[in-house]
Every structure is written in C-alpha cells, then in structure tokens.
Amino acid sequence: MERCDALAAFTEEDGALTRRFATPALGRASDAVAEWMAAAGMTVRRDAAGNLIGRYEGGDDGAGTLMLGSHLDTVRDAGRYDGALGVLVAIGAVERLAARDQRLPFALEVYAFSDEEGTRFGTAYLGSAAVAGRFEEAWLSRRDGEGTSMADALREYGCDPDALSGARRDGADLLGYVEVHIEQGPVLEEADRPVGVVEAIAGQTRFDVELRGRAGHAGTVPMESRHDALSAAAELVLAVEEAARSRPGLVATVGELTVRPGAANVIPGTARLSVDVRHGDDDARADAVAWLRGAADRIAARRGVELVTEPRFEHGAVPCAPELIEALERAVSSSGIEPLRLVSGAGHDAVQLASLASVGMLFVRCAGGVSHDPAESVAQEDVAVALEVLGELLESLADRDREVVRP
Ligand SMILES: [Zn+2]
C-alpha cells in the first residue's frame, strides 16, 4: 500500500496522477519498481517497448515460466491502484518466496507494462501488444496531443522503435499469465467478497450511428411535418438501454451524442451517437447488436430520418483458461473465502497475452466500484487476501509441477 502511494507521486501534473506511455513520469515509476524487483531477488531488464521485466529463476530449468504482472501507465487524473496494484502484488509474492529462500520449479517473470490505457496515443495495450508480437508498425507514426510521434516518444524514453520486434516474448516455455487487478466495478462489494475470479474479459462492439432528419424553424414547422433527428436518437438511446436490461450479462452504453445545428430555436437536423456493447459471450453480443440494428432501422423508418452506421471497432471475448480459473478458485477457497466468478467488462493486458499463453485474472474489490478517478480505493485487508491467494496459486501450480515426471 505504501508502494502504491509512492508510485502515485510519479506524475506528469501537479496535484493529479497522470502517467502516460513513455513519459519521464513513467520512467521514474519504472525505476522505483525496478529497485523493488531487484530487492526481491529478480534480475531486471527493460524491453524495446518500455516494459519492465523482473525474473525470479525457478529450480528446474525445464519447468517453464509463469508470467505475472499488470501495467504502470494511467489515465488522466487517475487513481493509484489501477495497474500498479497488480505489479506490486506480483512483486510481493516473489518477495515472500525470496524471504524464505524458496524456489518454485518454474521461473516467475513479473511484467510492468508500459501502456495499457492508451491515454497518450489513443491506442490501448502498446506494452502487452509488443510482448504478444501484435504491435502494429503503423502505430509508430501516431502523434500525441503535443504532436510528438510514437517513434520519437520511444526514442526519448531510451527505447529503439526499430527493435520493437525484439520485445516479443516467445510463448513456448510459458505456463500462463496471471494478473491481479482492481475490479473497477461494484460486483465484489455488493457480493461482500474481497476478491473474485475472472472467467472472461468481455468482447466489445463499438459503432457510430448518424440520424439525418430535417432541420427547421422551431416555431413554424408543425409537429406532424417534422423529421427530428434528436427525437429519433432519444428513442435509440432507450432501445440500447432496453437491449442490455433485457439480456443477462449484457452492458450497452451511448456515451457520445452530438446534435446539429444545435440551437434552441432549430429542430435538430442530424444527431450522431456512439454505441458500445459488451458481453462475455460473443454470440450473445452479436445477437444484441443485430437486434439494435433492427431497432435503429425501425425507428428511422417510422420517423422518416436517414440512418447511417459506421463501425469503430470490435473484439471478441477473451475467456480465461479453465485450469487457471479452477486453480485460482481453489486458492480463494483455501484462504477461507467462497469463490465468486465474474466477467470483466473492462479490457486488460490479458486480452493481448491470451494469444501467447493461458490467462487468469484475480480481481480485488474497490470501494464503490470507482476507478479511473482519484477517489479509487482498496482496503489493505483485501490486498492481503489477494497476496495470499496468489501465493497459494503459486504453491498449487508448483505442487502440480513436482508431480509431473520429467524425462
Ligand atoms: Zn488497468
């Protein structure tokens, strides 16, 4: 908890925690974490994407490597636990092993990813994408708000953008990737559980809708002659809410709405809105999106407005590995807590790493479900549980490993 506080001091702005990809603030945070890794007996290196990696050797060279970790970057005016807590709990688990002079059969690698939030360049998962070998060359020419290209930002950070392919981690020896993260939602708090086991990271569909009606004088055009784009959009917003409320596990949001011309005495001519749909099951999400498209067509036709939809992005759900879900649940049970499974509606580095290894995630309760906000808070007792569960998981994977007879 003290380390979370210490990292919160590494920020780009006075009075707020903002630590974006490849900034000096991230570099200072990364230096502090590197010291803690080294003190826990890890060898420490940085890769070409600015990720920090600590490795704690195992006792058996052939037993492979388990990856742990999370991210060190933040959103603007962030809380101090999103990302950082997962890195620090992983280091804490290694510290406990080192204090007992204990080696697991397999090695542990703790990754502190350089970018998950995508705050600086409008792309998420830069760090973990590079590790998974999914970094796209074209991203290097993206510019931040100050006009600095990603390639230049990496150089200023001491990384070689031409060597990014070297950040790719070979998955052949990996036993899995396990991430501890704050829940960023209220489910654990409502269920009165300190931690929960993630079964999947929800898939997402995001698209824009433009409704084109007819602008006109607010005083002279009779109601029956109107093609009010905003009234059509209002119906669609409620349809989005209805689609989600009537389908278990679905969340759907209209977060952006712009109206033109946008004057008190003019009938809205066009309305543009964003639709974000998420579910842990891809078929359920596809079904909801199809229903929403149909609803939008019907609303537009009835009101005589033109409908144009434009996809923004889509990614499938990422299921956590059943063997890691079960192992985490056993670890939760042995800590005296009844396990609870939940779907993560937020994206995480595990989305990228799932292409490389089996992934598992443990969520930690956060007060009021508040995240991406300075008010983000976790209880020390809950962090203690997370640390204990991670320790139990490592022991159980080690026991399983010792039973395997190697040639
Ligand atoms: Zn995060």
Side-chain angles (χ1 to χ4, degrees), residues 7-19 25-26 28:
L7 287 184
F10 300 118
T11 174
E12 298 173 53
E13 339 178 47
D14 286 338
L17 171 53
T18 301
R19 197 165 57 224
L26 184 74
R28 290 196 301 276

Short mmCIF file of all heavy atoms in Angstrom, two decimals, residues 7-19 25-26 28:
data_model
loop_
_atom_site.label_atom_id
_atom_site.label_comp_id
_atom_site.label_asym_id
_atom_site.label_seq_id
_atom_site.Cartn_x
_atom_site.Cartn_y
_atom_site.Cartn_z
N LEU A 7 4.27 5.33 -5.75
CA LEU A 7 4.19 5.43 -7.22
C LEU A 7 3.28 6.58 -7.64
O LEU A 7 3.49 7.18 -8.70
CB LEU A 7 3.67 4.11 -7.82
CG LEU A 7 4.64 2.94 -7.82
CD1 LEU A 7 4.00 1.74 -8.53
CD2 LEU A 7 5.95 3.30 -8.52
N ALA A 8 2.26 6.88 -6.82
CA ALA A 8 1.33 7.96 -7.17
C ALA A 8 2.03 9.31 -7.26
O ALA A 8 1.52 10.25 -7.86
CB ALA A 8 0.19 8.01 -6.16
N ALA A 9 3.23 9.39 -6.65
CA ALA A 9 3.98 10.67 -6.70
C ALA A 9 4.66 10.86 -8.06
O ALA A 9 5.08 11.97 -8.38
CB ALA A 9 5.01 10.70 -5.58
N PHE A 10 4.76 9.79 -8.84
CA PHE A 10 5.39 9.92 -10.17
C PHE A 10 4.32 10.27 -11.19
O PHE A 10 3.62 9.40 -11.72
CB PHE A 10 6.11 8.62 -10.55
CG PHE A 10 7.18 8.22 -9.58
CD1 PHE A 10 7.11 7.03 -8.88
CD2 PHE A 10 8.27 9.06 -9.36
CE1 PHE A 10 8.10 6.67 -7.97
CE2 PHE A 10 9.28 8.71 -8.45
CZ PHE A 10 9.19 7.51 -7.76
N THR A 11 4.18 11.55 -11.46
CA THR A 11 3.09 12.04 -12.29
C THR A 11 3.57 13.16 -13.20
O THR A 11 4.60 13.80 -12.93
CB THR A 11 1.92 12.53 -11.40
OG1 THR A 11 0.93 13.14 -12.22
CG2 THR A 11 2.39 13.54 -10.36
N GLU A 12 2.81 13.38 -14.28
CA GLU A 12 3.15 14.46 -15.20
C GLU A 12 2.59 15.80 -14.76
O GLU A 12 3.00 16.84 -15.25
CB GLU A 12 2.58 14.16 -16.60
CG GLU A 12 3.14 12.90 -17.23
CD GLU A 12 2.40 12.57 -18.52
OE1 GLU A 12 2.30 13.46 -19.40
OE2 GLU A 12 1.90 11.45 -18.65
N GLU A 13 1.56 15.77 -13.88
CA GLU A 13 0.93 17.03 -13.49
C GLU A 13 0.88 17.17 -11.98
O GLU A 13 0.62 16.20 -11.28
CB GLU A 13 -0.54 17.13 -13.98
CG GLU A 13 -0.93 16.26 -15.12
CD GLU A 13 -2.40 16.42 -15.47
OE1 GLU A 13 -2.85 17.58 -15.58
OE2 GLU A 13 -3.08 15.41 -15.65
N ASP A 14 1.07 18.39 -11.52
CA ASP A 14 0.96 18.65 -10.09
C ASP A 14 -0.49 18.45 -9.65
O ASP A 14 -1.41 18.89 -10.32
CB ASP A 14 1.38 20.09 -9.76
CG ASP A 14 2.90 20.23 -9.83
OD1 ASP A 14 3.58 19.20 -9.72
OD2 ASP A 14 3.37 21.36 -10.02
N GLY A 15 -0.66 17.79 -8.54
CA GLY A 15 -2.00 17.69 -7.95
C GLY A 15 -2.89 16.64 -8.57
O GLY A 15 -4.05 16.51 -8.19
N ALA A 16 -2.39 15.91 -9.57
CA ALA A 16 -3.19 14.84 -10.18
C ALA A 16 -2.25 13.75 -10.65
O ALA A 16 -1.10 14.02 -10.99
CB ALA A 16 -3.99 15.38 -11.36
N LEU A 17 -2.73 12.50 -10.65
CA LEU A 17 -1.90 11.40 -11.12
C LEU A 17 -2.18 11.14 -12.61
O LEU A 17 -3.26 10.68 -12.97
CB LEU A 17 -2.18 10.12 -10.30
CG LEU A 17 -1.54 8.83 -10.81
CD1 LEU A 17 -0.04 8.97 -11.03
CD2 LEU A 17 -1.83 7.67 -9.87
N THR A 18 -1.22 11.49 -13.44
CA THR A 18 -1.29 11.22 -14.88
C THR A 18 0.07 10.69 -15.29
O THR A 18 1.08 11.39 -15.14
CB THR A 18 -1.62 12.50 -15.67
OG1 THR A 18 -2.86 13.03 -15.21
CG2 THR A 18 -1.70 12.22 -17.17
N ARG A 19 0.10 9.44 -15.75
CA ARG A 19 1.38 8.82 -16.08
C ARG A 19 1.20 8.06 -17.38
O ARG A 19 0.79 6.92 -17.40
CB ARG A 19 1.78 7.88 -14.93
CG ARG A 19 3.24 7.50 -14.94
CD ARG A 19 3.66 6.89 -13.62
NE ARG A 19 2.87 5.75 -13.25
CZ ARG A 19 2.38 5.52 -12.03
NH1 ARG A 19 2.61 6.37 -11.06
NH2 ARG A 19 1.67 4.45 -11.78
N ALA A 25 7.64 10.69 -16.27
CA ALA A 25 6.96 10.22 -15.05
C ALA A 25 6.89 8.69 -15.04
O ALA A 25 7.13 8.05 -14.00
CB ALA A 25 5.54 10.81 -14.97
N LEU A 26 6.60 8.10 -16.19
CA LEU A 26 6.56 6.63 -16.26
C LEU A 26 7.96 6.06 -16.03
O LEU A 26 8.12 5.04 -15.36
CB LEU A 26 6.01 6.16 -17.62
CG LEU A 26 5.85 4.64 -17.72
CD1 LEU A 26 4.66 4.14 -16.92
CD2 LEU A 26 5.72 4.18 -19.17
N ARG A 28 10.33 7.31 -14.16
CA ARG A 28 10.67 7.36 -12.73
C ARG A 28 9.93 6.28 -11.95
O ARG A 28 10.50 5.63 -11.06
CB ARG A 28 10.37 8.76 -12.17
CG ARG A 28 11.32 9.85 -12.69
CD ARG A 28 11.26 11.12 -11.84
NE ARG A 28 9.92 11.71 -11.80
CZ ARG A 28 9.42 12.52 -12.74
NH1 ARG A 28 10.13 12.85 -13.80
NH2 ARG A 28 8.20 13.02 -12.62
#
